[in-house]
Amino acid sequence: MEASFPTTTLSVGGLQFTALEGSRSSARDRRRPLVLCLHGFPDHHRTWRLQIPALEEAGFRVVAPLLRGYEPSSQPIDDDYHTIRMVEDVLGFIEYLGCLRVHLVGHDWGAVIGYQVAARAPERLSSLTTMAVPHPKRLASVAALRLLPRQLRNSWYMFFFQLRLLSDVALRRNDFALVDKLWRDWSPGFTPPAEEMRLLKRTFRQPGVAAAALGYYRDMFDPITRAAATSRALMRAPVSVPTLALTGADDGCLDTRLFDLMRNEDFPHGLSVQRIAGAGHFLHQERPDEVNRRLVDFLRRHEPGDVGCD
């Protein structure tokens, strides 16, 4: 059965973003510390359905928006999906929600965006939690090169998505069978609920969503624009907020050993890398109790003295 959550609309930069909220919506509960959760690919905001109740029970308010492009109302006219634009969106979310600071949690692309938000505006975050994607600064090291052959094989889809038209057709083919394949490959042995996959594919069937999702990967390889240069600079900058990085030990997308390359000096306010046994790329859905326990413990240790939300 589909678990339902209240929704709200975040209006930022002329775009409209649908977001899931927790069930508590009174004025008093809106003063709770806010956890802003960002999804990845191929996914949507319901990926956080197993975290929202646990975070609420622990005393937090939760908002989980659809990212830019994942619904017609948030698709920009210029089709700009450079990560700097999603950073701007997130800062807009924080402003729209009336907050000085939030706890930011991101999975996959949400993690990529989270690292950049923390580099761009650390004063707006109480903490950062990333899942399944390591910080990229050290990925050009000699140690990373030793893992390169396996990781290049795992990352075939990024290069395939550069083939315009062909990959667009392939993504939609056979009721988005490629989405099913990526979930199988990235989280071996995990079978997501059939109803959740139906709802996920319903998101991808909306006009423009599949093209927007591929746009993230295409703009990632953009070599020339100012937006691309700004995004790359942020990815090399220090992350000046307390950071928890979670990785599934059996991740079939990004080799879990890449997290061993992360360095404390890139995280001057603290870094904790934690590996979840028996989990792959979608670790927060595969091992929700374990992930929730670690997440809540981390957030409680970094609660601001002033919640900072209206």
Side-chain angles (χ1 to χ4, degrees):
M1 178 180 294
E2 175 184 345
S4 61
F5 297 95
T7 62
T8 189
T9 299
L10 310 179
S11 298
V12 174
L15 303 177
Q16 308 293 314
F17 301 81
T18 299
L20 302 180
E21 288 191 300
S23 59
R24 299 182 174 95
S25 57
S26 70
R28 179 178 61 83
D29 286 316
R30 287 180 180 273
R31 291 289 301 166
R32 293 173 171 222
L34 178 63
V35 182
L36 186 61
C37 298
L38 310 178
H39 67 84
F41 170 90
D43 211 347
H44 62 169
H45 54 6
R46 283 188 58 82
T47 197
W48 302 110
R49 68 191 181 279
L50 303 177
Q51 280 65 56
I52 292 174
L55 289 169
E56 273 207 309
E57 183 65 27
F60 297 95
R61 178 186 171 203
V62 188
V63 175
L66 285 168
L67 292 181
R68 171 178 288 229
Y70 276 74
E71 58 189 325
S73 63
S74 67
Q75 293 164 8
I77 295 175
D78 60 3
D79 293 327
D80 189 346
Y81 294 104
H82 292 90
T83 49
I84 184 58
R85 302 303 171 224
M86 280 70 85
V87 170
E88 293 166 352
D89 291 341
V90 171
L91 294 176
F93 297 158
I94 297 171
E95 191 73 24
Y96 184 85
L97 291 164
C99 296
L100 295 176
R101 294 177 303 282
V102 303
H103 296 286
L104 190 60
V105 178
H107 173 256
D108 190 82
W109 271 109
V112 175
I113 297 164
Y115 288 127
Q116 294 192 35
V117 172
R120 175 74 172 266
E123 72 279 1
R124 305 312 299 267
L125 302 186
S126 298
S127 73
L128 172 67
T129 299
T130 63
M131 301 184 191
V133 177
H135 192 278
K137 181 177 180 180
R138 304 290 175 175
L139 299 187
S141 65
V142 173
L145 291 175
R146 296 193 187 103
L147 299 174
L148 188 60
R150 174 174 173 174
Q151 188 53 55
L152 282 175
R153 183 172 66 250
N154 289 353
S155 300
W156 66 269
Y157 64 96
M158 293 186 183
F159 306 106
F160 178 64
F161 289 163
Q162 307 311 306
L163 303 176
R164 296 174 185 268
L165 185 59
L166 177 60
S167 59
D168 291 83
V169 171
L171 181 58
R172 296 178 178 85
R173 188 170 179 267
N174 292 338
D175 189 28
F176 290 91
L178 181 56
V179 169
D180 295 318
K181 172 180 170 51
L182 293 176
W183 275 69
R184 287 194 306 269
D185 291 350
W186 293 357
S187 283
F190 174 61
T191 302
E195 175 66 3
E196 290 300 328
M197 294 306 291
R198 183 187 71 81
L199 294 171
L200 174 58
K201 291 178 181 181
R202 186 171 73 181
T203 292
F204 274 86
R205 287 193 196 96
Q206 294 181 89
V209 171
L214 295 179
Y216 282 52
Y217 291 96
R218 290 164 181 170
D219 283 354
M220 179 177 66
F221 284 93
D222 174 10
I224 58 174
T225 65
R226 179 176 296 180
T230 302
S231 297
R232 286 192 287 269
L234 285 177
M235 293 304 287
R236 296 190 295 269
V239 176
S240 298
V241 298
T243 301
L244 170 65
L246 297 176
T247 170
D250 303 322
D251 195 321
C253 177
L254 285 161
D255 193 309
T256 187
R257 291 173 293 175
L258 293 170
F259 281 79
D260 297 333
L261 306 177
M262 295 172 71
R263 293 292 179 262
N264 289 328
E265 54 261 39
D266 299 327
F267 297 83
H269 289 258
L271 168 67
S272 176
V273 176
Q274 299 181 22
R275 188 166 280 110
I276 306 298
H281 192 69
F282 298 94
L283 61 159
H284 58 301
Q285 294 197 36
E286 298 170 72
R287 295 290 183 269
D289 291 344
E290 179 70 9
V291 168
N292 293 347
R293 181 183 64 78
R294 296 181 188 230
L295 177 59
V296 168
D297 178 68
F298 177 73
L299 297 183
R300 282 177 169 165
R301 286 189 282 112
H302 297 285
E303 288 184 13
D306 176 16
V307 173
C309 290
D310 295 333

